[in-house]
Amino acid sequence: MNGGNPLNHPHTSRIYDYFLGGKDNYEVDRQAAEEILTAWPSIRIAARVNRQFMHRSTRFLAESGIRQFLDVGTGIPTEPNLHQIAQQTAPDSRVVYVDNDPVVLAHARAYMTGNTQGATTYIYGDVTEPKAIVDAPELTDVLDLSEPVGLSMIALLHFVEADVNQIVSTFLDAFAPGSYLVICTITADFAPEQVNAAQNVYRVRKLPAQVRTRDEVTGWFAGLDLVEPGVVPPHRWRLGESVEIPPTFDATVSCYCGVARKP
Ligand SMILES: C[S@@+](CC[C@H](N)C(=O)[O-])C[C@H]1O[C@@H](n2cnc3c(N)ncnc32)[C@H](O)[C@@H]1O
């Protein structure tokens, strides 16, 4: 349940905040998080690796010339946040954050301010209604949709049981050529027992959860130019050639990510 009193219902944002060692979570979130940790003990490591992928992919987009960012499924602010990474490289970057947890937006409004050159804004929105997000006046006040946009949906789509292809195409149809799509999502390909058990903990609490295969994630990038190295676990995405990662770490992290450009 996403709505209602946050003290009574766990939310994915606050469970994730607990995994990252944050303080913006309630007892009901911590109980759910502990059960998920029992099912999949390395999920805290996965959360940190996912966060580091957000840093690298955002820097990559800014270095590739992107100056407008749409981050859907923002999460409770965790430094450095996406706008800080983007504005480190390109101070004039404009960032729109979207989340469906009012608690996230309250924190975001309080803590996340852009620099003087760039702009940062926050919208309440649900990724399953992408048209409402791209049409929101608060978005078009900050983003010029005739120019490329970097769309990040990081650690979000495993909370979406709806058709992700439809969501992706609605966003990208609204964006100019040269826009980018950045995704990171959970898979059960490497550690099916643990990850499926964790998925079940979410579902029992009526939180949508859906793991995906590599083929499914690759399909979301159809028609786009996938940036090298393609769809891979996030610790294998442009980490630097000198870093050696043991194959067993893929099961620890159990995510796939990818970055692609709209031609
Ligand atoms: C695991 S956090 C990821 C935060 C951040 N993107 C990161 O990677 O560190 C997932 C976020 O997605 C939000 N979320 C979950 N379902 C959503 C939906 N249907 N629409 C919009 N946001 C959603 C949650 O509130 C939460 O803040």
Side-chain angles (χ1 to χ4, degrees), residues 28-80:
V28 70
D29 305 306
R30 294 191 281 276
Q31 278 173 8
E34 284 297 339
E35 258 190 65
I36 296 162
L37 277 163
T38 302
W40 176 9
S42 64
I43 195 168
R44 276 206 159 103
I45 299 172
R48 276 187 234 122
V49 169
N50 169 78
R51 212 54 213 167
Q52 287 158 6
F53 166 71
M54 183 279 277
H55 302 170
R56 293 198 306 286
S57 57
T58 303
R59 209 169 289 124
F60 172 83
L61 261 52
E63 286 167 357
S64 303
I66 294 293
R67 294 294 176 268
Q68 310 194 99
F69 295 81
L70 175 60
D71 180 46
V72 187
T74 298
I76 287 165
T78 304
E79 302 252 334

Side-chain angles (χ1 to χ4, degrees), residues 76-92:
I76 287 165
T78 304
E79 302 252 334
N81 295 290
L82 188 146
H83 72 280
Q84 293 167 317
I85 305 272
Q87 290 173 352
Q88 266 165 16
T89 303
D92 55 338

